[in-house]
Amino acid sequence: PQTRILKQITVEDAVKAVQERRGASAPPPSEDTKAKLARQIVQLARCGERDAIRLRDGALTALHIVP
């Protein structure tokens, strides 16, 4: 349960970071982008990462949306 909550919060933070980098006038991230972020966060968590900031930043970096 805690891992699920952490993943949800981290994905939401990653989506917000994408929106901030694109600017207010840009469309929100697509569902595909959100899914890719979530998959990357899960992969990092499976490798043992538990820090929400490192999970978020790792997912953004892996998808070339550098934090």
Side-chain angles (χ1 to χ4, degrees):
Q2 288 181 345
T3 302
R4 201 174 293 165
I5 292 168
L6 176 63
K7 178 188 157 235
Q8 180 181 358
I9 292 169
T10 305
V11 171
E12 290 171 4
D13 287 346
V15 169
K16 286 178 188 174
V18 170
Q19 289 173 321
E20 289 172 3
R21 283 167 179 74
R22 289 183 176 175
S25 61
S30 67
E31 291 302 315
D32 185 52
T33 299
K34 292 176 186 179
K36 288 177 182 178
L37 286 167
R39 282 192 298 270
Q40 189 61 43
I41 288 168
V42 168
Q43 180 63 31
L44 291 167
R46 284 184 180 154
C47 291
E49 184 59 69
R50 293 293 180 261
D51 181 79
I53 294 170
R54 287 194 294 259
L55 286 167
R56 180 201 64 205
D57 291 350
L60 293 171
T61 300
L63 296 176
H64 306 288
I65 309 169
V66 180

